[in-house]
Every structure is written in C-alpha cells, then in structure tokens.
Amino acid sequence: MFDVQKVRADFPILSRKVNGKPLVYLDNGASAQKPQVVIDAINTAYAEEYANVHRGLHTLSTIATEKYESVRGKIARFINAGSEDNIILNSGTTEGINMVSYAWAAPRMQAGDEIVLSIMEHHANIVPWHFLRERLGVVIKWVDVDANGDLDPDAVIAAIGPKTKLVAVTQMSNVLGTVIDVKTICAGAHEKGVPVLVDGSQSAVHMPIDVCDIGADFFAITGHKLYGPSGSGAIYVSPDRMAEMRPFMGGGDMIREVSRDSVIYNDAPMKFEAGTPGIVQTIGLGVALDYMMNIGMDAIAEHEKALCSYARGKLDGLNWLNVQGQSATKGAIFSLTIDGAAHAHDISTVLDKKGVAVRAGTHCAMPLMDHMGVGATCRASFGMYNTVEEVDVLVDALELCHELFG
Ligand code: PLP
C-alpha cells in the first residue's frame, strides 16, 4: 500500500522551508530530490569504499567495482532490458543520445538521409541530429503534435520514407506531459526497417518500463530525474544495434590492448564507456532504482495518476489559466500560462515566495514552444512524494498571481 507520508519522510529536503513556507517541490521534471538512502550511499561510497573501478586489485577497488558494476543489472531489471550487456552506463540522457549520434548514426548516414523527430523533443534529442545535418547533410523530418498535444503514432510512421535511417522520439513530453505510444511507433518503424531511439528521461520515473515490449532499439534514461544523483544515467541498446556501433570516445576502460600502431577494443558494453566513470553517482543511481522498485512502479504510477487527475480538475477549473496540452495520456507535467501580461518568470517568482518550486522558461523545447505559439511557461511537475495538499498550495499561489498580474 503506497503511503505518501512515509515516502516523504524518506526525503530530508522536503521538510525544509523556503521563504518561510514549507517547501512544495514541483520541479521534478527538471530534477528530482534524493531519498536518505541515496544520500547515505553517496556518503558511504566516498567515506569508506572509494577507489577507481575496473583497474585495481586492492580491496577498495574491488568493492567499488562490484558496487558500480551491480548497477548495470539493476538498470536492466528496472527497464526489463533482457541482459545487463545491453546497458551502457553514462552521465545521463544527453550523453546517451550524443553517443548514438556519433557511434551509430554518423558512420551509417550520408547527405540526404533522414531522421524523423517529433516537434516535442527536448533539445538533447534535437541538437545531436542537427550536428549530423550540419556535418553530413542529413535531413531532419519533423512530425507535429495536434492542438491537444497528442502525437499520432501513424503520422510518425507515415513520415518514414526510403531515406529514413532513424526515428527518435520521447516517450513523455517534458512540456506537455503527453505520453506517447512508442510501442506502435517502434512496430511501424521496424516494419519499414528503421530503428527507433526512445527518450525515456521523463517517462521512466512515472511508469513501469519494458524496453523489450516497447521494441526500442535505443532507450535513454537519466539518473537525476529518477531520484538518483546528477551525472548518472544509462542507455539501453538492442544487441543488433550494439553490434553496429563504433566506439566514439577513446581512452581507458574501453580497450583491451593498445600498441604503437593498433588497438583492440573491450567487449560491448564497456567498449562504449571510456575513461573513469561517475563511480559514486552510478552507485547512488543503483540505490535510487532499488528504492523505486521496492515501492513498486505500479504503486508509484497509481499514486501519481490520482494526484494528476486532482491537479487537472483544479487547474482546468481556473478559467484565466491555460494548461498547455490536454492529451488524454497527459501525465505529471503541467505547463501553465496566465491570461494577461504575467510572464512565466514573474509567476515563478511569486510561487517561490509561497515556497512553491516550479520551472519557468522554454524547457529546452524551443521548436515545440514555437509550434504552440507560446513564449515561456511555468511548469509544475510532480513526483512520487507530492500530495493533493500541495496541489492546493499551488492553486492558491496561482490565484495570487492572477490577482497581481491577471
Ligand atoms: N530528454 C528529456 C525529455 C528531458 O526532459 C531531459 C531533461 O530535462 C533530457 C532529455 C536531458 O536530460 P539530461 O540533461 O539529464 O541529460
């Protein structure tokens, strides 16, 4: 049975005050807070068990290596990746998608080849493809969302032509909260022989993920949104795509032998992990995933569903407030604007005075904001520790904004 108060007690920061008010943390879409078990694990790793991994034979290096390497299996279980050999550890989604761009896409693409993207991608799933556009003459094909913020999977599949080499889509919009039917997209793309990269940065924290069932070729996650440390993350790569990738970062750990005029690479996945990794961050991520799996992703999803439906009812009831994106699949992300002159930054400042932390701006999704014709929004994004009472605090603070600026 999910007990939100018990969960809250695990997150020390949630008991602090901001500007004299109890903190209402609604910036989870940017980064989530950390439970005490993760903070303790980081502390233990540095205070008692720190050494570099993979290289030493001494006790501390062995402990650090075992703890670090055990996270690969935890991630594989968390997203049902089949085998831990399909998991490349990294610093987060940005690194993961850039790796796919350099290690898989660049060597197999040429001028005129296409990549299909949705208009609601985060810049992390846009800019690496712009690099290929600039350097190789690759063409980016955009698929728009409708007025509700829905992305029609059939429109994505229809955009795939004979020159398309990759489809890259998010599973959940970081602005609109729309959850995309990536399984249908993967099935349709595969029928046309085209691999799919799924950006799971926002989705993986809110719902159970099964990359095998989705059928993704690449699935990126980022640790700091999963209640883990920043600088941790991973990307799932299917065995077929893994075999096609060329290492793009060279250095220690990714090699087996180096001589004056030759190099023999390590086996995958380590072949794609050059240099000293984020050892402690990754260990912390493993503890965060254990924490979530112990609670249960179904239980977390159920709690958040009830919370979001309450929030949606309340926010939709404010006729001077615009909630961007009204998809039936909308999850725990609400991008808001107020009729009249109030800028998102002003709203966010007033909310902060009430202890409510939200994000204001264009959320690293400028093509989407442009498509929606919105300059900036205030984004309230929920996590497993948020409560209906906090939704009420948000609504009261928004009403104050309306009085001040509306
Ligand atoms: N993709 C989406 C949908 C995101 O929301 C984010 C972060 O906000 C990213 C990618 C980038 O993640 P990171 O900055 O952790 O690499």
Side-chain angles (χ1 to χ4, degrees):
M1 174 71 185
F2 185 89
D3 179 348
V4 71
Q5 292 307 334
K6 194 161 167 287
V7 169
R8 290 181 68 79
D10 291 335
F11 289 79
I13 204 169
L14 297 180
S15 56
R16 71 158 283 173
K17 292 194 167 177
V18 167
N19 293 319
K21 310 278 186 215
L23 169 65
V24 174
Y25 188 76
L26 301 180
D27 196 17
N28 298 284
S31 205
Q33 298 298 346
K34 321 303 170 199
Q36 187 65 49
V37 280
V38 169
I39 298 166
D40 289 346
I42 293 168
N43 192 42
T44 304
Y46 277 128
E48 296 171 32
E49 298 172 340
Y50 185 77
N52 209 332
V53 290
H54 299 142
R55 293 162 205 188
L57 294 175
H58 60 84
T59 303
L60 288 186
S61 181
T62 308
I63 294 173
T65 301
E66 277 171 12
K67 286 211 165 177
Y68 173 82
E69 276 301 323
S70 73
V71 180
R72 220 182 278 281
K74 289 179 189 185
I75 295 170
R77 279 198 298 288
F78 185 68
I79 59 173
N80 195 29
S83 161
E84 64 180 57
D85 292 342
N86 304 332
I87 301 297
I88 297 172
L89 299 171
N90 58 28
S91 62
T93 293
T94 301
E95 184 182 334
I97 298 178
N98 275 275
M99 186 212 67
V100 176
S101 165
Y102 282 100
W104 184 83
R108 38 197 337 103
M109 296 189 79
Q110 56 189 33
D113 284 346
E114 296 163 357
I115 295 178
V116 172
L117 301 182
S118 91
I119 197 71
M120 67 170 120
E121 298 312 311
H122 185 280
H123 294 167
N125 196 22
I126 297 175
V127 183
W129 312 122
H130 270 303
F131 287 167
L132 299 190
R133 183 187 58 73
E134 288 170 353
R135 291 167 199 177
L136 300 178
V138 163
V139 176
I140 299 176
K141 278 176 98 175
W142 297 97
V143 183
D144 284 342
V145 293
D146 66 17
N148 276 338
D150 276 315
L151 179 72
D152 179 1
D154 291 334
V156 178
I157 296 162
I160 300 172
K163 295 204 146 202
T164 305
K165 292 287 187 298
L166 181 71
V167 173
V169 283
T170 186
Q171 190 177 17
M172 181 176 186
S173 164
N174 67 315
V175 177
L176 306 175
T178 314
V179 177
I180 316 302
D181 179 0
V182 285
K183 183 175 174 175
T184 300
I185 292 174
C186 287
H190 288 167
E191 264 181 34
K192 296 184 174 188
V194 175
V196 182
L197 179 148
V198 177
D199 177 350
S201 306
Q202 292 291 342
S203 56
V205 66
H206 298 298
M207 62 189 79
I209 300 290
D210 185 332
V211 290
C212 292
D213 181 57
I214 290 170
D217 295 85
F218 306 97
F219 191 96
I221 58 170
T222 200
H224 66 101
K225 295 189 206 288
L226 293 162
Y227 308 103
S230 57
S232 66
I235 186 159
Y236 160 84
V237 181
S238 71
D240 288 351
R241 301 289 89 76
M242 189 81 90
E244 292 167 350
M245 288 205 309
R246 275 204 335 229
F248 89 105
M249 273 212 333
D253 254 20
M254 54 78 73
I255 45 86
R256 185 165 300 139
E257 274 176 40
V258 183
S259 69
R260 283 176 186 238
D261 33 42
S262 71
V263 50
I264 301 174
Y265 301 127
N266 218 329
D267 293 333
M270 287 194 57
K271 179 157 78 167
F272 304 103
E273 298 172 0
T276 300
I279 301 165
V280 175
Q281 293 92 321
T282 301
I283 291 171
L285 171 59
V287 174
L289 297 184
D290 280 343
Y291 179 81
M292 293 178 81
M293 288 189 278
N294 283 340
I295 293 174
M297 289 311 294
D298 285 319
I300 291 171
E302 204 177 314
H303 165 71
E304 291 184 359
K305 193 172 167 203
L307 186 64
C308 290
S309 112
Y310 181 80
R312 210 163 164 176
K314 285 277 180 174
L315 296 171
D316 285 346
L318 305 173
N319 60 10
W320 39 266
L321 187 77
N322 306 307
V323 181
Q324 305 293 332
Q326 288 290 347
S327 168
T329 67
K330 189 178 178 69
I333 296 176
F334 296 84
S335 281
L336 311 168
T337 55
I338 292 182
D339 283 347
H343 189 276
H345 290 175
D346 298 328
I347 301 171
S348 156
T349 305
V350 173
L351 297 190
D352 184 53
K353 293 276 174 278
K354 295 287 174 188
V356 182
V358 296
R359 177 136 302 220
T362 51
H363 315 296
C364 296
M366 285 182 179
L368 175 64
M369 307 303 276
D370 199 35
H371 174 72
M372 298 190 315
V374 178
T377 72
C378 239
R379 182 184 71 181
S381 50
F382 295 86
M384 68 165 117
Y385 37 61
N386 290 123
T387 64
V388 289
E389 290 77 16
E390 290 182 311
V391 174
D392 292 339
V393 175
L394 169 70
V395 169
D396 287 349
L398 286 168
E399 269 168 348
L400 176 61
C401 292
H402 177 54
E403 275 168 35
L404 292 172
F405 310 118

